[in-house]
Structure formats: structure tokens, C-alpha cells
Amino acid sequence: MKRVLDRNRDMAARVREKLGVRNVIMINLISSPGAGKTSLLEKICEHLSGEMRIAVIEGDVATDRDARRIEKYQVPVVLINTDGGCHLDSNSIDMALREFDLDNLDVVFVENVGNLVCPAHFDLGETFKLAVVSTTEGDDKPIKYPMLFREAMAVVLNKTDLLIHTDFSHETFLADMHQVNPGIPVFELSCRTGDGLDEFLEWIKLSVSKKV
Amino acid sequence: MVEDVFRIIMRVAGENNISRIDRVDIVIGEYLQIKPSLFEFAFESAREGTIASAACLNLETRMVELRCTGCRQLFLLKDLKYSCPRCGSGALEITDGRDIYIKSIEGE
């Protein structure tokens, strides 16, 4: 019997150890395309790069557009183009981490490829996964993609400013979310207006300082 | 995922001096949400031109099995309800159905 994901899991364990001995936290951001991962990272870099040493790994199917958006904040960025691949794996993360001076970092944010299924299968050696969803995607994501929302440590619901223009049911979303993962923290915010962002950034600060 | 499966199949076949693969048994945990029909389709594309080109794929799915970390109740996941049917707790561990593995490879 051969477990198919063992090779990825073994490398993830090595990545986790490499980060652990240096006290570096790694947060793996997973969402659909267009939910706002890069916007959220921009906000994190804008508000927190003064008080913690941040680096970003950008996973993208193609182009360096997201990486260029992050570079503006003067944080080290490594781009992984998957050339059509629908997720990142621990081997590509291990390679990307070699580009950073890990002894002088507190946290590495990984922006996974936009996809709610495959990225949840592949352990990257992260400290935890953060799921990002947006109101315009509909309220049914937690129940349709339960693995991600179970594996995630917390959830960001982005684009709350657009809520009034959608049929998104807050009640359904939260009920499904807590059915799939009871007690998971949900941060409701809008990267565009900044509403709700403070609470989320405080949580990130706490996660990085406590090394959860 | 199918690429990963193929890499393992080819390695195992090589290690066991198998030059023609006739049958592969794969078990997919339902937690992964991999649709068997899509997996089969990808497998059929991947096997072309390899020693597994005529291999029959046998897929088996495993239900998600959970154990309550509080009262130790063991149960199968139903309707995606991740809470203990006995004590209602949401603190659970997955004991089965979260992996994909190759159970056996037959050939000569």
C-alpha cells in the first residue's frame, strides 16, 4: 500500500522543521480566484510590515502581476508560476524558501493558486491555512468545499461592502461554516473600504507573536 | 494527483521488474472530494504510451470516519455534519477516509 501524498507530506514535514527552528510562522492563504487574497496581503503588508518581518510567496498559474502588487510594499517576494498547475506543493515551497533570509523573518505568507479543492490536499509545511471567501461568490462555499474549511484555522469573509448587492445569506453561510467546522473564527471585512480589517490584523499579530 | 499516482506506479513496477501493468487498485478517501469519474478520465489519459496502457483501474472510495476526542464515539460522517452524534462536541479527529492510496498493482 502506497499513500499517494506521502512524498508531499514528508517534504512538508521538513519545511515545517526548517521554519520551526527559526521561529518563523507560515500562513497558507487559500481561496477561489478573485476572492481577494492579494488585496488582503496588500493590507497586511501595508499595516504590519513596520512591526513584523514579512515575506511573501506568490503562487500563480501564470504572470507576475500579483507579485508586482506585493513588491510595492518593500517585502521580499518569491513568485512560483505553476504553468497551469492548480495548486502549490511542499517541494516548490522548499525551493522558494531558499530565496529568503529565514533568520531575519517572522512570518511567510503563501498565496496559493486560486482554487478551493486541490490546495487543501497539499500540506506545504505551513503553520496554518487561512481560507478567504467573498460575499459575491455566494454563501454555499463552506458546504461545497468542506475539506478546506475544516483544514483552515480561520476564515476571512471579504467584500462585505458588496453584501447588499448580492443574495448572500449571512445566516446560511455561518450555519454551514459551523456545521463543517464548529467554532472556527470568521473575520468579516472589506479590503476595499477597510471595514473590519483592524480585528483581523490584530488576530494576525497575535498569531505571529504567539507562534500558534 | 493522477501524476503523483503514476509516478508511484511506475516506481513500484520498476522495483518489482513488472513490464506490463494489468490492474491498479486505488482507494480514495471521500474527505478529499476527488470525483471518481474525473479521476478515471485523467488516469485513462495518463496511461497512454506507458506500461500501464491496458491497465484496468479499480477505484474504491472510503467514507469519512470520525472519532470524538471527548467521549471517544466513533462514527461515519453523514450529511457533512461534523459534530459528535452522542455528545454534540465538534472536537473530532478523522480516523479514516482522508487519504488516497494505491492498494495494489498487478502485472507481469
Side-chain angles (χ1 to χ4, degrees):
Chain A
M1 186 192 94
K2 296 276 180 191
R3 287 201 301 186
V4 176
L5 293 167
D6 273 357
R7 200 170 81 135
N8 183 72
R9 212 168 284 164
D10 292 347
M11 180 54 92
R14 286 205 283 279
V15 168
R16 196 164 276 122
E17 198 192 330
K18 188 191 278 189
L19 294 169
V21 294
R22 293 173 176 85
N23 260 326
V24 178
I25 295 291
M26 187 161 84
I27 303 174
N28 179 4
L29 273 77
I30 301 177
S31 83
S32 323
K37 291 183 297 303
T38 315
S39 299
L40 194 64
L41 277 175
E42 286 183 296
K43 292 294 171 197
I44 290 169
C45 292
E46 182 187 333
H47 294 279
L48 301 181
S49 63
E51 47 191 298
M52 57 178 75
R53 297 166 299 176
I54 300 174
V56 174
I57 296 174
E58 275 293 338
D60 237 323
V61 172
T63 83
D64 62 352
R65 289 190 184 188
D66 287 356
R68 274 162 40 202
R69 280 170 64 183
I70 298 300
E71 272 171 352
K72 286 187 289 200
Y73 299 93
Q74 315 287 321
V75 302
V77 182
V78 171
L79 171 69
I80 302 172
N81 267 150
T82 59
D83 291 327
C86 60
H87 60 270
L88 294 175
D89 62 19
S90 52
N91 194 49
S92 55
I93 293 297
D94 182 58
M95 306 279 273
L97 287 175
R98 292 176 200 180
E99 307 286 321
F100 297 135
D101 175 12
L102 292 180
D103 292 319
N104 286 301
L105 282 181
D106 295 310
V107 57
V108 177
F109 289 94
V110 179
E111 179 172 347
N112 217 311
V113 178
N115 176 351
L116 295 176
V117 183
C118 310
H121 297 165
F122 290 83
D123 183 1
L124 304 182
E126 72 273 339
T127 314
F128 62 84
K129 294 181 178 72
L130 180 68
V132 183
V133 275
S134 58
T135 56
T136 52
E137 291 166 65
D139 49 35
D140 54 4
K141 295 299 163 286
I143 208 76
K144 278 190 178 170
Y145 304 95
M147 182 177 183
L148 171 62
F149 295 99
R150 268 208 74 78
E151 296 288 310
M153 170 76 84
V155 178
V156 167
L157 175 64
N158 189 23
K159 306 188 192 180
T160 50
D161 54 320
L162 299 179
L163 195 61
I164 48 164
H165 304 291
T166 70
D167 295 326
F168 186 94
S169 160
H170 214 225
E171 207 183 347
T172 305
F173 176 78
L174 289 178
D176 287 350
M177 187 68 80
H178 289 115
Q179 181 189 318
V180 166
N181 194 346
I184 186 171
V186 179
F187 297 96
E188 303 185 16
L189 54 87
S190 162
C191 286
R192 201 171 69 89
T193 65
D195 270 354
L197 202 59
D198 288 349
E199 197 189 336
F200 170 69
L201 292 174
E202 280 306 314
W203 183 80
I204 288 286
K205 277 200 263 184
L206 203 67
S207 303
V208 173
S209 66
K210 271 193 176 169
K211 314 281 184 191
V212 283
Chain B
M1 193 68 90
V2 172
E3 276 172 34
D4 291 319
V5 167
F6 255 78
R7 202 183 48 244
I8 295 170
I9 292 174
M10 292 307 156
R11 199 188 63 221
V12 171
E15 285 165 4
N16 294 282
N17 297 316
I18 293 172
S19 56
R20 193 192 73 222
I21 297 170
D22 298 324
R23 181 189 164 115
V24 182
D25 290 276
I26 293 176
V27 178
I28 300 178
E30 287 183 356
Y31 187 64
L32 296 170
Q33 290 190 284
I34 294 172
K35 211 173 170 208
S37 60
L38 291 180
F39 190 92
E40 278 165 13
F41 183 75
F43 185 91
E44 283 164 19
S45 312
R47 71 182 181 182
E48 280 173 26
T50 74
I51 57 165
S53 61
C56 151
L57 172 68
N58 182 40
L59 282 185
E60 185 189 319
T61 55
R62 298 282 303 178
M63 288 176 80
V64 178
E65 186 192 72
L66 301 151
R67 183 191 284 126
C68 174
T69 55
C71 76
R72 313 299 292 167
Q73 173 80 13
L74 205 61
F75 61 100
L76 291 172
L77 178 68
K78 247 176 78 183
D79 303 324
L80 294 170
K81 285 196 179 74
Y82 280 93
S83 48
C84 175
R86 190 158 81 183
C87 73
S89 167
L92 312 168
E93 56 184 350
I94 300 174
T95 49
D96 196 6
R98 69 169 301 152
D99 264 310
I100 170 166
Y101 58 90
I102 300 165
K103 201 162 130 187
S104 63
I105 298 170
E106 281 174 34
E108 54 189 72

